[in-house]
Amino acid sequence: MNQDFPFLNDDFEELRDLLQQFENLKAGQSHSFLDEDSFELIIDYYDEHDELPNAMQAAEMAIEQFPYSSTLLLKKANLLIESKKYQDAMDLLEKAAILDSTDINLYILQTDVYLAMNQHEKAAAVLEEQIAVFEGEDKTELLLELADVYDDCEEFEKVFDCLRLTLEHDPNNEEALHKICFWTEFTGRNEESIRLHTNIINEHPYNQLAWFNLGTAYQGLKLYEKAIDAYQYAIVIDEKFDYAYRNMGDAYIRLRKYAEAIDVLKKHLEIAKPEDVIYEAIGHCYERQRKYTQARYYYRKASHLSPGDDKLYYKIGIAYMTEANWENAIKSIMSAIKINKNSAEYLIALGQCYLELDKNKEGLIHLLAAVRIRPSSITPWQEFIRGLYVSGFYEEALSQLEAATQKVGHKPVLQYYRAALMFATGKSKEGMLQLETALQVNAKHVKKLIELDPTLLQHPGIVELITRYKRTKKGK
């Protein structure tokens, strides 16, 4: 029994009495009599508890007793639809329409029948006709029903149109405000959404959902400052509007305002259930601020909520790598690889860590594994050849460079690596020719040569060639 709400106990007792009377009526006990409202309660009870045969029996007995009740006919029609007896349901709805054509449930049930029979055009036609007839809340309900019909038949632009009409008719309708936010993004109709919600706000300035939707529309157009302004109005009206803080955090990140993003995302954590994506976003902001200890702290909090997300362990590893903490980086990246063994990106990072620790054999094994996973990508080849170079395996590096060229084509970075290998093997003349060719192809990539081996800048011929080439390009 319910101690907090005793009136619920009264309702339960009344319903139990009605069900007993219905059982008596079925058993032929003539003194039992149920009025129309009681039958409705009994039908609803059995329907809600998935006792369809009892619900149907109650509906038939009720109609026998009250043959001119359109409400009871609609109840039975609904049960027939659940039983997939669509033609019987439609016949009953036609009878109900003669008795009372002002009940919108009649048209919603007709729509349900047409949808069940995959006749979307007829379903839409029923609703479109009645939307012109009804007013007030009924019109709103029919418009929302029509939006669902268009969604069902994948006419997504019409879904947006229906929701716009709903809000023009009923600007504070929460269901329409929630739905149009999604459909604005889905259809990309941000400009229309801005006009619509600006009009709503002009009439209803304390509608926080309208402010929020205005923010998302601005965000869809990458107008992040305006989006933030709209979200701030939303949280002034409702300081616990968690999605406004969430979206505002994203907008600040897009503007590279990481401190502000951290503030609003932490506010989100105060008022909403913790989420891995929020912790990860805060970690990302700290990483961009080069506050790697804090970044790792939030990435770890995210990983506790989502222990199967390999990229979080990888991000922790990258934060360690940035601080040259190679041992801890290896531990974190290994955790990522245990979850996802086929990530070339993770294997490259792991190989780089081992190379930094002068564990060249382990490093090269992982870099080669990355090449095997993604043989058509330049990055694994580039890192593997670089690994061979820094390990002093110049001949093998040249051999792999040929293999890379066959797989990915003549990439500028490979041309610079070829030049470096010529210098490393004492073939300075050939190296100068390769370097000049590389500079002609793509001068910007010369930094790849310097990153590979900064000592090459001590070679006067190399510096002179690069300087001369840059001067020539400027002259042009």
Side-chain angles (χ1 to χ4, degrees):
M1 302 292 279
N2 195 306
Q3 300 299 320
D4 296 321
F5 304 101
F7 67 88
L8 292 179
N9 298 332
D10 296 339
D11 290 346
F12 178 76
E13 292 293 338
E14 182 186 350
L15 182 59
R16 191 167 64 178
D17 288 343
L18 287 176
L19 293 172
Q20 186 57 56
Q21 287 180 56
F22 175 63
E23 290 300 323
N24 293 342
L25 195 61
K26 282 201 297 182
Q29 296 179 17
S30 57
H31 64 273
S32 293
F33 175 81
L34 294 168
D35 61 20
E36 188 176 342
D37 290 341
S38 298
F39 269 119
E40 286 179 37
L41 287 170
I42 291 164
I43 294 164
D44 287 343
Y45 172 83
Y46 284 128
D47 188 20
E48 287 164 10
H49 288 78
D50 295 322
E51 296 184 38
L52 201 55
N54 278 332
M56 187 65 79
Q57 190 174 3
E60 287 169 352
M61 291 173 72
I63 291 168
E64 192 175 322
Q65 209 163 304
F66 303 99
Y68 302 109
S69 168
S70 62
T71 303
L72 290 171
L73 290 173
L74 293 179
K75 294 277 184 194
K76 185 179 178 184
N78 184 52
L79 297 172
L80 287 167
I81 293 168
E82 289 179 32
S83 306
K84 300 183 179 180
K85 296 177 180 177
Y86 303 125
Q87 192 54 56
D88 290 344
M90 195 60 89
D91 293 343
L92 212 56
L93 290 171
E94 287 175 9
K95 290 180 185 177
I98 295 167
L99 295 169
D100 182 8
S101 62
T102 63
D103 188 339
I104 67 161
N105 291 311
L106 168 67
Y107 306 106
I108 289 172
L109 288 173
Q110 283 181 347
T111 302
D112 289 344
V113 172
Y114 284 129
L115 288 176
M117 295 167 71
N118 209 27
Q119 297 178 8
H120 294 90
E121 288 183 12
K122 287 185 178 180
V126 168
L127 294 171
E128 286 167 353
E129 183 181 347
Q130 297 308 317
I131 284 164
V133 175
F134 285 90
E135 289 299 330
E137 291 181 10
D138 288 344
K139 188 186 190 83
T140 300
E141 190 172 344
L142 290 169
L143 279 164
L144 289 169
E145 191 75 20
L146 182 57
D148 288 343
V149 169
Y150 285 135
D151 183 7
D152 202 46
C153 60
E154 300 186 355
E155 293 193 49
F156 301 130
E157 298 293 337
K158 288 185 178 180
V159 177
F160 181 93
D161 292 334
C162 261
L163 294 171
R164 178 176 50 76
L165 288 170
T166 305
L167 288 169
E168 287 170 357
H169 171 69
D170 183 5
N172 292 313
N173 185 275
E174 287 195 16
E175 183 180 346
L177 284 164
H178 282 298
K179 285 183 174 179
I180 203 165
C181 184
F182 168 81
W183 287 105
T184 298
E185 184 180 358
F186 189 88
T187 58
R189 291 166 71 173
N190 293 295
E191 292 90 347
E192 288 176 72
S193 183
I194 289 167
R195 288 195 294 273
L196 172 67
H197 289 97
T198 300
N199 289 337
I200 293 172
I201 289 161
N202 288 339
E203 294 294 322
H204 306 276
Y206 296 103
N207 186 327
Q208 72 269 28
L209 285 173
W211 280 110
F212 177 79
N213 289 355
L214 182 63
T216 61
Y218 278 129
Q219 200 155 352
L221 294 173
K222 299 183 179 179
L223 298 171
Y224 299 118
E225 297 281 7
K226 288 188 174 184
I228 289 165
D229 288 343
Y231 295 138
Q232 284 174 335
Y233 277 107
I235 61 175
V236 166
I237 299 165
D238 179 4
E239 63 181 15
K240 294 188 176 180
F241 198 157
D242 54 334
Y243 277 95
Y245 290 107
R246 184 195 198 103
N247 280 20
M248 203 190 310
D250 179 71
Y252 276 127
I253 290 170
R254 306 279 182 180
L255 292 169
R256 296 188 174 91
K257 294 185 176 181
Y258 300 115
E260 292 89 340
I262 289 167
D263 287 342
V264 295
L265 291 172
K266 284 184 176 178
K267 183 66 178 176
H268 181 281
L269 290 173
E270 289 174 19
I271 61 176
K273 186 180 177 183
E275 291 181 65
D276 55 336
V277 290
I278 302 298
Y279 285 132
E280 184 180 349
I282 295 173
H284 170 78
C285 291
Y286 277 122
E287 187 177 342
R288 287 306 180 107
Q289 292 181 319
R290 300 183 181 181
K291 296 177 179 177
Y292 300 111
T293 302
Q294 293 98 317
R296 288 192 294 271
Y297 171 78
Y298 280 96
Y299 287 148
R300 281 200 183 90
K301 286 183 81 71
S303 70
H304 292 154
L305 291 178
S306 186
D309 189 343
D310 48 285
K311 75 176 182 297
L312 291 170
Y313 299 102
Y314 174 67
K315 287 184 175 185
I316 294 168
I318 293 297
Y320 276 126
M321 287 178 72
T322 311
E323 294 181 324
N325 189 337
W326 309 113
E327 289 88 350
N328 280 328
I330 286 170
K331 289 176 187 174
S332 296
I333 296 165
M334 286 294 286
S335 295
I337 290 171
K338 281 180 185 175
I339 299 167
N340 181 1
K341 294 180 176 61
N342 295 314
S343 170
E345 188 178 18
Y346 300 171
L347 290 164
I348 289 168
L350 190 59
Q352 289 169 339
C353 290
Y354 280 121
L355 289 175
E356 292 290 346
L357 292 170
D358 293 324
K359 296 182 177 180
N360 292 10
K361 183 180 177 182
E362 292 94 327
L364 291 170
I365 286 169
H366 290 102
L367 293 170
L368 178 58
V371 167
R372 286 174 175 163
I373 288 171
R374 290 176 59 193
S376 300
S377 172
I378 181 62
T379 305
W381 283 108
Q382 178 183 322
E383 292 302 323
F384 181 45
I385 294 164
R386 177 184 166 276
L388 289 167
Y389 182 95
V390 300
S391 302
F393 299 129
Y394 302 131
E395 294 301 327
E396 181 62 24
L398 279 168
S399 174
Q400 292 299 328
L401 200 147
E402 294 300 328
T405 303
Q406 288 178 11
K407 288 288 185 182
V408 301
H410 294 276
K411 301 291 183 182
V413 65
L414 297 180
Q415 189 71 41
Y416 282 107
Y417 278 16
R418 190 185 302 279
L421 285 163
M422 291 297 103
F423 288 117
T425 53
K427 300 173 183 175
S428 296
K429 189 175 179 181
E430 178 67 17
M432 292 296 284
L433 288 170
Q434 293 292 340
L435 177 56
E436 189 165 11
T437 303
L439 286 164
Q440 287 171 354
V441 173
N442 192 319
K444 289 181 182 178
H445 276 75
V446 72
K447 60 185 179 183
K448 296 291 184 183
L449 179 78
I450 312 307
E451 287 169 4
L452 179 67
D453 190 351
T455 65
L456 289 172
L457 286 175
Q458 295 167 15
H459 192 298
I462 292 175
V463 176
E464 186 185 340
L465 178 61
I466 294 171
T467 306
R468 188 172 74 245
Y469 191 84
K470 284 187 175 180
R471 204 177 286 136
T472 305
K473 292 297 283 185
K474 279 183 181 179
K476 289 181 181 179

